[in-house]
Structures are given as C-alpha cells and as structure tokens.
Amino acid sequence: MLAIRQVTQLNKGWKTAGIDGKKALTFKERFELYNKLSTVNDWKHQGLREVPIPKKNGSTRILKVPTISDRAWQCLVKYALEPAHEATFHARSYGFRLGRCAQDAQKIMQINLNSRAKGYKKRVIELDISKCFDRISHKSIMDKLISPAGLKLGIFRCLKAGVNPEFPEQGTPQGGVVSPLLANVALNGIEEIHQALDTPMIVRVDGEYYLPHLCRVRKHRSPYLPPLRTVRDYC
C-alpha cells in the first residue's frame, strides 16, 4: 500500500500517464492493484510511453514513462532492495540516495578545499558521463544486483521493456521509479578508479563526478586521470 500511495499520490509526476493512458486510480482500483502486486515475483512489464523533454542546449531527451501498475511494482522492489544496497554504496556517493543530497557533496568539497586542508596545489576536476541512463550496461546491473531470483527476473524485464533497438543491452528507462537505484548499483565502485600522489577522493552526484585534489605536486610527478576505458567498464 505504501508503494501504491507513493506513485499515485506523493510522487511529483504522479499524474503522468503511461502507455495505457491512465493518469490516476480510483479508491477501488488501488485495492485491485494491491491484489495484483501479490505476484511480485512473476511481474511482466507493459510498454513505455515516450515523452520528449526539451533540454537547455536545444536538443531533446526521451522520458520513458511506465504505467501506474508498473511504477507501483518498481517502487515496491525499490523498497525491498534499497536497504541491502545502501550498505554497500560508497561513502562519497550522494545522488539518488536516502538522506543525501547535492548540498552534502558541496560540504565535502568545501571541507577538502579550504585553506586549512593539507596541500597547496588544489583543484577540482569535473567528470561527466554522457547519457548516463541511456548507456548503462544491463550486464553491469544484473551482475551487481542483490536480489532474489524472482525480483531479478522482474528487473530484467523492466530493463528490456524500455530498450533502445540500437543498443539492446544498454539503458534504464528514465521515467522508472527503480532506475536511479539501478544506476547507483551499476556505478558503485567507480569512485575508486582515480589514483593520485596523495589520498584522492571522488565525490559522485548522479552521473557527474568531482575530484578535489589535495596533493603536493612534485617535480616530474603530477596527479593523472584514469584511462577512459576504466570508466566505461562501469557503464
């Protein structure tokens, strides 16, 4: 019932219709959906409704919206899987996590770049993964997912429901409730790829990464970025 209430009343886009055209559920329909969700281990996803969203640079991105019943199933699965994965996520990961936000990442950056922090050569390197949700590997998600077999099969069907024909093994639907969790699952561990002279730290917020360097630059030696192929291992 909590999952149904979340997607039909509390979420910001709760009035967004899926491929079936339904924007809201009546009181009776919510109880029918509650009974339907009892088959959580054998859930079959419907298609996704594509909604073009204009971007600031003039291009558009496609928001793929599941039906209300599929969103409720995803929310239920998110409630079940999130605690197990939260225990494994990196301490410097802040995007789409309970009790964390971009302001927490800003605070960590400020603490490590202020005048009292060690090192006299300080800088921030920004790293962005282009089309993060569209290019995440399904294999990376499924290999790292901590889940019973029934839910894992449902997640696999969820990924395939919104697949791009050009990239059949990549992408998570951006309109899906569980997609942010799946992105964090796939990208978990990427914070450890950078090596510098002194202790490095990568702060991750969604698909963007910030590397505040607190190091003493010595002659003929300087911090370096990892090869791009290392980043692609996670996407």
Side-chain angles (χ1 to χ4, degrees), residues 66-181:
T67 62
I68 293 178
S69 57
D70 286 340
R71 295 204 298 269
W73 181 88
Q74 291 183 25
C75 188
L76 183 61
V77 170
K78 177 176 176 286
Y79 288 159
L81 301 185
E82 198 167 40
H85 287 285
E86 276 290 333
T88 66
F89 285 159
H90 196 276
R92 292 291 177 257
S93 168
Y94 294 96
F96 302 120
R97 292 186 61 186
L98 290 172
R100 296 185 173 219
C101 61
Q103 285 73 21
D104 296 321
Q106 291 174 351
K107 181 179 180 180
I108 291 295
M109 299 278 286
Q110 182 181 14
I111 290 174
N112 286 273
L113 294 176
N114 65 29
S115 59
R116 287 175 289 183
K118 67 175 184 177
Y120 58 87
K121 292 288 185 181
K122 300 175 183 178
R123 57 184 175 176
V124 176
I125 301 174
E126 181 180 358
L127 184 68
D128 182 32
I129 298 180
S130 179
K131 297 183 179 180
C132 179
F133 281 92
D134 295 334
R135 294 294 179 264
I136 290 181
S137 168
H138 293 173
K139 187 177 185 303
S140 296
I141 295 174
M142 301 308 296
D143 289 347
K144 297 181 180 180
L145 198 62
I146 304 172
S147 167
L151 295 187
K152 185 171 282 192
L153 177 60
I155 291 293
F156 182 77
R157 290 171 177 169
C158 169
L159 295 173
K160 294 304 179 183
V163 73
N164 186 337
E166 297 181 8
F167 305 97
E169 300 299 326
Q170 297 178 6
T172 60
Q174 292 195 34
V177 178
V178 77
S179 292
L181 174 62

